[in-house]
């Protein structure tokens, strides 16, 4: 009497298991594991059978089982302030395109620009045992720093650069550029253009925005043209509408303003639109400069002078550093942290 064919087993979730794939491909479960994790260790014919069976059964390897076997989860915690800010979308794209070919997936956490929220999100992400962590900035709560000091997995901070002697108790890897120097470059440029009444408009006011404001302020002071009354800084999230509103408010109170640094391109674009609506010639009557060189900055009328920041490149380099640290499986990067300065470019166009 012929034996009854074994009914394929299924997981508790109802998904196909590795045993199901092995039975369908006519190989052992160990061979399936090797074919999927290290395809170079099996013959091309076996690999093709396993891949075909996996596709047909809709098999998805268990991350939990893989992590137990390899002591890796193949995930990276990536904490960013926002998914609506193009700056961090570009950074995340760089991280993803670098991690993905190595088999890693980002676990994205949104902090909303809040240090306390960041601590909560990081605590949640660490519960998933990521193999590495990427953070935005260096403005953390004491609780976050405590968690980072306790980790043996690699950690990379982005968008900021660590200062000499800062956080010596928790050696930090940073990939970014000097926000201060970038802001200084804008202020120096406006002063060199002969502008006398140089104003500042800023929103959001996260630590990176404040640093570029500090740089602008120093440059204008060095030129002997700083007037605190020409600074308008609000905590609101930046937008085109806010830029238009704050431009009008600035000119209503200080009509002699002849140049403006707006700390984000969306604010600067809003200011340009409002200038067009009010009939204010740019740059003849008012010079306008933005920050980040976002999509569309080169296509405003007139094209916007701004600072090009290497967001995607920062994401790529941060992921590369992390991959190197995860490959070592030792916290070597904590002993010899790297400070990678990718710089910035002042894009002088027709608004100044």
């Amino acid at each position: 009497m012929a034996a009854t064919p074994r009914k394929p087993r299924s997981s508790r979730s109802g998904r196909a298991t590795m045993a199901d794939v092995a039975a369908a491909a006519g190989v052992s479960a160990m061979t399936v594991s090797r074919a999927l994790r290290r395809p170079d260790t099996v013959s091309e014919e076996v690999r093709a059978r396993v891949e075909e069976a996996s596709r047909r059964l809709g098999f998805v390897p268990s991350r939990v089982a893989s992590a137990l076997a390899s002591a890796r989860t193949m995930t990276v915690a990536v904490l960013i302030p926002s998914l609506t800010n193009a700056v961090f979308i570009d950074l995340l794209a760089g991280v993803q395109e670098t991690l993905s070919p190595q088999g890693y997936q980002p676990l994205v956490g949104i902090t909303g620009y809040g240090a306390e929220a960041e601590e909560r999100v990081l605590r949640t992400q660490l519960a998933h045992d990521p193999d590495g962590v990427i953070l935005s900035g260096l403005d953390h709560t004491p609780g976050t720093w405590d968690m980072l000091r306790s980790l043996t997995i690699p950690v990379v901070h982005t968008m900021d650069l660590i200062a000499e002697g800062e956080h010596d108790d928790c050696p930090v890897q940073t990939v970014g550029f000097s926000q201060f120097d970038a802001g200084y470059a804008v202020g120096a440029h406006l002063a060199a253009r002969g502008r006398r009444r140089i104003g500042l408009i800023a929103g959001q006011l996260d630590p990176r925005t404040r640093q570029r404001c500090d740089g602008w302020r120093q440059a204008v002071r060095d030129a002997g043209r700083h007037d605190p009354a020409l600074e308008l800084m609000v905590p609101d999230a930046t937008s085109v509408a806010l830029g238009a509103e704050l431009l009008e408010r600035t000119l209503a109170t200080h009509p002699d303003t002849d140049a403006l640094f707006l700390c984000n391109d969306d604010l600067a674009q809003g200011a340009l639109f409002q200038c067009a609506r009010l009939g204010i010639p740019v740059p003849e009557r008012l010079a306008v400069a933005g920050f980040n060189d976002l999509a569309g900055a080169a296509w405003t009328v007139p094209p916007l002078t701004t600072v090009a920041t290497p967001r995607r490149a920062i994401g790529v380099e941060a992921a590369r550093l992390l991959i190197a640290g995860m490959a070592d499986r030792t916290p070597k990067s904590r002993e010899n942290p790297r400070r990678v300065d990718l710089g910035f470019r002042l894009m002088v166009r027709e608004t100044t």
Side-chain angles (χ1 to χ4, degrees):
M1 180 177 176
T4 303
R6 186 181 65 172
K7 183 179 179 181
R9 294 172 295 172
S10 61
S11 65
R12 184 170 54 183
S13 65
R15 299 191 333 234
T17 66
M18 192 173 292
D20 297 331
V21 175
V27 297
S28 68
M30 182 67 72
T31 298
V32 172
S33 177
R34 286 202 306 271
L36 295 176
R37 294 179 60 235
R38 297 185 57 195
D40 58 307
T41 63
V42 300
S43 70
E44 186 175 339
E45 186 266 337
V46 167
R47 178 178 56 77
R49 279 165 38 207
V50 169
E51 288 179 351
E52 191 280 329
S54 296
R55 281 194 299 270
R56 179 159 46 83
L57 295 175
F59 173 66
V60 178
S62 168
R63 282 280 185 190
V64 174
S66 178
L68 289 173
S70 66
R72 292 177 188 249
T73 61
M74 301 305 292
T75 61
V76 168
V78 183
L79 275 63
I80 58 175
S82 169
L83 273 176
T84 60
N85 186 332
V87 169
F88 298 104
I89 296 297
D90 290 345
L91 183 147
L92 188 58
V95 169
Q96 168 67 22
E97 72 184 40
T98 309
L99 290 179
S100 182
Q102 303 298 320
Y104 289 97
Q105 289 296 321
L107 297 174
V108 180
I110 309 303
T111 67
Y113 295 94
E116 290 76 17
E118 178 189 60
E119 180 180 343
R120 292 193 297 272
V121 174
L122 179 61
R123 195 178 300 278
T124 299
Q125 298 287 57
L126 291 179
H128 295 279
D129 292 322
D131 298 316
V133 177
I134 294 176
L135 299 169
S136 300
L138 292 157
D139 184 44
H140 307 313
T141 64
T144 294
W145 282 115
D146 287 342
M147 281 188 281
L148 296 177
R149 274 189 289 270
S150 73
L151 296 178
T152 58
I153 58 176
V155 177
V156 179
H157 294 71
T158 62
M159 303 304 292
D160 274 345
L161 294 174
I162 193 75
E164 187 70 31
E166 191 177 4
H167 302 298
D168 281 344
D169 61 334
C170 181
V172 171
Q173 293 200 106
T174 54
V175 180
F177 62 96
S178 172
Q179 301 276 347
F180 181 95
D181 289 352
Y184 190 100
V186 177
H189 168 71
L190 293 173
R193 283 289 205 255
R195 303 292 170 161
R196 310 297 303 179
R197 300 286 290 163
I198 305 173
L200 170 76
I201 289 177
Q204 195 65 65
L205 305 186
D206 59 85
R208 290 169 295 283
T209 297
R210 292 185 179 277
Q211 289 169 30
R212 70 186 71 136
C213 289
D214 289 343
W216 166 88
R217 192 175 295 115
Q218 186 61 55
V220 177
R221 279 201 190 108
D222 289 349
R225 300 173 199 178
H226 180 240
D227 182 352
L230 297 182
E231 296 185 21
L232 180 54
M233 302 174 69
V234 300
D236 310 57
T238 63
S239 67
V240 170
L242 183 65
E245 175 191 333
L246 296 183
L247 168 89
E248 199 160 2
R249 193 190 306 180
T250 294
L251 295 183
T253 54
H254 302 285
D256 59 343
T257 302
D258 63 5
L260 278 173
F261 172 38
L262 298 102
C263 288
N264 283 304
D265 277 358
D266 49 359
L267 291 175
Q269 290 177 17
L272 284 180
F273 295 151
Q274 192 70 345
C275 283
R277 192 177 75 82
L278 298 175
I280 299 170
V282 177
E284 294 81 6
R285 163 68 183 82
L286 180 70
V288 176
F291 198 92
N292 277 319
D293 198 24
L294 298 182
W299 301 99
T300 57
V301 180
L304 178 66
T305 291
T306 184
V307 173
T309 56
R311 289 96 59 186
R312 183 180 292 265
I314 288 172
V316 168
E317 185 60 27
R320 285 175 178 167
L321 284 178
L322 212 62
I323 289 167
M326 292 185 299
D328 287 342
R329 293 207 183 200
T330 61
K332 291 179 182 177
S333 60
R334 314 299 292 276
E335 299 166 11
N336 300 292
R338 292 190 58 188
R339 180 181 186 270
V340 181
D341 185 350
L342 295 180
F344 60 87
R345 285 189 299 153
L346 180 63
M347 309 297 292
V348 179
R349 299 191 179 112
E350 296 174 28
T351 57
T352 58

